[in-house]
């Protein structure tokens, strides 16, 4: 029986690429989304992937959503915590809501989804959680104290939870993408984007499919000896 995978934020951008890559590997994929019904419906119709709407920053919505997935599709074996938002601005201009919303969704979503699915993985003796962090959670970024803090928190969350799952057949890893050619990055003004690319040693933006291939490995049986790790896929922009 195919393993069931939930990808949060799984209908667009990096999440879409991850959903499609996992489906190509024979997983039964469920794509969670937060609000764009039309885009989610179009994605589902085109790719034959079930979509479920809930706010990953809402604890009870995650619990209820994962129960629905289990009832409809089967027990959840793989969780990819990809959903995230930005509310950029310097600290002087950042409101508490800007801070709280990013922490609630980007970091809180990882806790909520793990809380919903990790116990079942432990009980069944097999599971994979991959949390999508960011180069800006590793190196920091001007005007992103909220986003950088949330993504940095994801990396710590990953290492701690990995220790709880290691002897139970459950691995927990993170991927820290650099600048990827998504709609979000495409919206950056051209002069700014040129400066960003100039700092990437390989001389280009990454592709969402390159992140997806990392997820495929980490969620495979072959990835069972990798846990508590952060895989940096950033074209050499940040090395440590």
């Amino acid at each position: 029986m195919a393993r069931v995978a939930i990808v949060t934020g799984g209908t667009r951008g990096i999440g879409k690429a991850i959903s499609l890559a996992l489906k190509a590997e024979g997983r039964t994929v469920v794509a969670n989304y937060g609000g764009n019904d039309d885009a989610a419906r179009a994605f589902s119709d085109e790719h034959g992937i079930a979509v479920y709407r809930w706010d990953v920053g809402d604890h009870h919505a995650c619990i209820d959503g994962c129960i629905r997935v289990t009832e409809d599709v089967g027990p959840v074996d793989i969780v990819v915590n990809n959903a995230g938002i930005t509310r950029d601005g310097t600290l002087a201009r950042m409101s508490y809501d800007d801070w709280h919303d990013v922490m609630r969704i980007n970091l809180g979503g990882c806790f909520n989804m793990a809380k919903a699915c990790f116990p079942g993985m432990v009980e069944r003796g097999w599971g994979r959680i991959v949390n999508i962090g960011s180069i800006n959670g590793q190196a920091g970024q001007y005007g992103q104290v909220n986003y950088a803090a949330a993504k940095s928190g994801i990396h710590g969350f990953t290492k701690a939870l990995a220790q709880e799952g290691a002897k139970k057949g459950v691995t927990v890893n993170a991927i820290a993408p650099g600048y990827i050619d998504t709609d979000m990055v495409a919206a950056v003004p051209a002069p700014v984007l040129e400066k960003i690319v100039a700092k990437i040693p390989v001389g280009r933006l990454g592709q969402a499919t390159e992140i997806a291939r990392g997820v495929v490995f980490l969620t495979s049986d072959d990835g069972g000896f990798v846990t508590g790790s952060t895989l940096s896929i950033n074209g050499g922009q940040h090395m440590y």
Side-chain angles (χ1 to χ4, degrees):
M1 185 174 180
R3 297 197 185 278
V4 176
I6 295 179
V7 182
T8 69
T11 65
R12 302 169 61 190
I14 291 173
K16 176 180 178 180
I18 292 169
S19 294
L20 296 179
L22 290 175
K23 181 184 178 183
E25 288 296 307
R27 308 307 193 189
T28 299
V29 180
V30 170
N32 153 269
Y33 71 103
N36 192 327
D37 291 322
D38 291 339
R41 191 177 303 110
F43 168 83
S44 183
D45 290 344
E46 180 178 357
H47 301 291
I49 292 175
V51 293
Y52 286 72
R53 177 177 177 174
W54 71 79
D55 175 4
V56 298
D58 182 325
H59 182 72
H60 295 291
C62 287
I63 300 296
D64 292 344
C66 291
I67 289 173
R68 282 192 288 127
V69 171
T70 298
E71 291 173 345
D72 294 347
V73 184
V76 178
D77 302 299
I78 297 166
V79 172
V80 182
N81 287 309
N82 167 75
I85 63 170
T86 56
R87 297 287 186 270
D88 293 351
T90 60
L91 183 65
R93 296 178 177 274
M94 185 176 292
S95 69
Y96 174 76
D97 286 343
D98 292 336
W99 167 268
H100 181 262
D101 288 348
V102 170
M103 296 299 289
R104 183 181 71 85
I105 293 173
N106 295 18
L107 181 56
C110 291
F111 170 83
N112 294 335
M113 290 298 297
K115 190 70 173 177
C117 299
F118 185 78
M121 295 176 181
V122 168
E123 182 178 342
R124 294 187 301 276
W126 197 97
R128 300 286 187 264
I129 296 176
V130 178
N131 303 311
I132 305 301
S134 171
I135 186 175
N136 292 344
Q138 297 172 312
Q141 178 60 43
Y142 182 90
Q144 283 195 328
V145 293
N146 50 4
Y147 185 84
K151 292 298 189 177
S152 180
I154 285 174
H155 300 309
F157 174 89
T158 297
K159 294 178 185 299
L161 187 59
Q163 295 179 53
E164 296 183 30
K167 291 185 178 180
K168 307 294 185 179
V170 182
T171 68
V172 186
N173 292 287
I175 290 180
Y179 286 87
I180 306 301
D181 190 11
T182 62
D183 291 342
M184 183 184 296
V185 172
V188 174
V192 176
L193 190 57
E194 288 176 5
K195 292 179 181 179
I196 291 172
V197 173
K199 295 180 180 179
I200 302 174
V202 302
R204 64 172 176 86
L205 297 173
Q207 300 296 314
T209 52
E210 294 175 300
I211 307 303
R213 286 195 288 273
V215 173
V216 166
F217 169 69
L218 292 174
T219 57
S220 69
D221 289 329
D222 290 339
F225 199 58
V226 183
T227 195
S229 294
T230 295
L231 175 59
S232 296
I233 306 177
N234 60 34
Q237 188 174 0
H238 180 68
M239 305 178 191
Y240 74 106

